Amino acid sequence: MTERQKIILAIVAALAVVGLLVALLLPSRTVEKNLDFFIQDRNANNQLEVNELLKFTINDSTAVIDKRVLWKMGNGDSIVGHPNISYAYRQAGKYLITLQVDGKIITEKTIDVVNIQRDTIAVDSIPKIVGPTQGYAGEKLVFSAEGNGMTSWLWEFGESGTIDAFDRQVIYKYDEPGKYLVKLKTNTTLYPVSHVITILPKVEDIVKDPNKLDSLEKAEPKDTLAMVQNDIKKHLQAIANTSPRDRNTFYAHRNHIINNYLGGNGNQVVVQINGERYNVFPDYCQGLHFLESNRYGRVTIDDVKVDDFHHITKIEVTQRNTGK
């Protein structure tokens, strides 16, 4: 081997050593082949929406440490240097999301961003009941709902103790004279609107007994369903206030509700508490009675609703713990 060849061989060997040292000293630029990312919508409704802050997360953030990460959002926007990002799209459409690491495309995903139309219907006025303020027993009377935005109507005329009609305009006939509270619940209001009507006896009855008109003038409006609900509420509150040791008072109030409103069988009636929990009526009363002595303290009954005045199968109770 000549001197020249020895020099060339030495240079090649030196370069190989330098290359090996550089490879060992510099951080690895390879990227895991299984690197991926997923997208999370913040409101968890499984839709990617306009103006919703979406979260883009790499499945293994440690794999991109000391590497150049580039997100291309598919609409001209790019985000550099952050392995996990949040981003909101301002317009609906399909977008190709590209994840690049060290200049190499790792993965691409197409997403569909939608524009959800929110309910922006404005209610211009509170519903009003248009109907007579006076009528006769047995007379067909016309009532109608006036207002904007209504799509459902629930009428209670105060005599039957339940919902009587479901149309915007209805015809109703009262069987008995008296003052009645007409209530209308629609989709546009949280609470029903009301209207007072006086139902006079039939003409022949007035002729027989003129004093009936005087008693009607002094009468309070009847709301049969509300009277039942308020009476149940009163006796449930009495149960909640009764000492756990006072069994006689407990049974008196419980049996009053069972015998007067539940057909003598409370086991066939379901109680729903605060729109969530369920009990049969006797079990609910038993728990209500003993709550006074537990750590949660007394219970206040705020509201009671029944499903049907004539045949109650469900009682909805709204209650709260008010302390000892």
Side-chain angles (χ1 to χ4, degrees):
M1 180 181 294
T2 65
E3 190 66 26
R4 179 184 177 86
Q5 289 175 325
K6 291 179 180 179
I7 294 174
I8 293 174
L9 184 59
I11 294 174
V12 171
L15 290 174
V17 172
V18 171
L20 180 60
L21 290 174
V22 170
L24 292 174
L25 294 175
L26 288 179
S28 173
R29 308 302 291 181
T30 59
V31 179
E32 295 288 339
K33 292 182 179 180
N34 62 352
L35 199 64
D36 198 0
F37 70 90
F38 57 90
I39 305 169
Q40 178 184 0
D41 59 326
R42 293 299 178 92
N43 58 17
N45 67 349
N46 297 316
Q47 292 189 111
L48 309 182
E49 303 171 20
V50 172
N51 295 324
E52 179 183 10
L53 195 62
L54 307 177
K55 187 176 181 181
F56 299 78
T57 305
I58 294 177
N59 63 335
D60 184 6
S61 58
T62 61
V64 295
I65 294 176
D66 297 327
K67 294 180 173 60
R68 185 176 183 272
V69 178
L70 173 66
W71 295 89
K72 293 185 177 181
M73 310 312 297
N75 59 353
D77 288 353
S78 297
I79 301 176
V80 180
H82 301 283
N84 302 319
I85 64 170
S86 295
Y87 186 83
Y89 287 89
R90 305 305 177 191
Q91 292 183 335
K94 291 185 180 295
Y95 299 96
L96 178 65
I97 313 300
T98 303
L99 172 62
Q100 290 186 1
V101 178
D102 285 346
K104 295 180 181 180
I105 297 177
I106 301 302
T107 185
E108 295 177 323
K109 291 182 182 180
T110 300
I111 64 171
D112 191 5
V113 178
V114 297
N115 189 10
I116 302 298
Q117 295 294 327
R118 305 298 181 187
D119 184 8
T120 56
I121 298 175
V123 179
D124 297 325
S125 63
I126 297 174
K128 298 180 179 64
I129 297 175
V130 178
T133 57
Q134 184 174 290
Y136 291 91
E139 180 185 7
K140 292 182 178 179
L141 305 171
V142 179
F143 298 85
S144 60
E146 184 180 276
N148 298 323
M150 294 180 292
T151 58
S152 64
W153 304 267
L154 302 176
W155 293 89
E156 296 177 35
F157 290 101
E159 185 179 39
S160 67
T162 187
I163 303 297
D164 298 295
F166 303 90
D167 298 318
R168 184 167 191 152
Q169 186 176 72
V170 297
I171 298 174
Y172 189 79
K173 180 178 65 173
Y174 285 92
D175 294 325
E176 298 293 335
K179 273 189 179 180
Y180 295 93
L181 187 67
V182 181
K183 294 194 289 187
L184 170 65
K185 179 76 167 63
T186 76
N187 59 294
T188 63
T189 54
L190 181 61
Y191 301 105
V193 293
S194 60
H195 172 85
V196 176
I197 184 170
T198 301
I199 300 300
L200 304 173
K202 296 177 183 179
V203 175
E204 54 268 32
D205 293 337
I206 297 176
V207 172
K208 292 179 183 178
D209 186 3
N211 292 327
K212 287 186 176 182
L213 290 179
D214 294 333
S215 61
L216 281 175
E217 290 297 324
K218 300 176 182 178
E220 292 294 325
K222 294 181 182 179
D223 184 359
T224 309
L225 184 61
M227 291 169 59
V228 170
Q229 293 173 157
N230 287 336
D231 191 51
I232 294 175
K233 174 185 173 182
K234 179 182 72 174
H235 286 278
L236 288 179
Q237 187 63 65
I239 290 174
N241 295 342
T242 298
S243 168
R245 296 179 295 276
D246 189 351
R247 303 294 292 174
N248 291 334
T249 302
F250 162 71
Y251 281 118
H253 289 291
R254 191 199 69 164
N255 293 341
H256 171 87
I257 299 173
I258 291 176
N259 295 331
N260 285 279
Y261 305 116
L262 309 184
N265 187 1
N267 290 313
Q268 300 300 315
V269 178
V270 172
V271 179
Q272 184 178 21
I273 305 99
N274 294 336
E276 298 176 353
R277 296 181 289 119
Y278 291 87
N279 286 99
V280 293
F281 182 76
D283 290 346
Y284 167 72
C285 291
Q286 188 77 7
L288 191 65
H289 181 217
F290 280 96
L291 277 175
E292 183 201 44
S293 61
N294 72 19
R295 64 190 179 90
Y296 295 112
R298 290 191 181 275
V299 168
T300 297
I301 308 295
D302 290 323
D303 194 24
V304 168
K305 298 292 184 187
V306 299
D307 56 347
D308 188 335
F309 165 67
H310 298 290
H311 181 62
I312 297 174
T313 60
K314 180 181 179 182
I315 302 175
E316 298 179 20
V317 177
T318 303
Q319 66 183 49
R320 55 194 166 90
N321 295 315
T322 54
K324 295 184 178 180

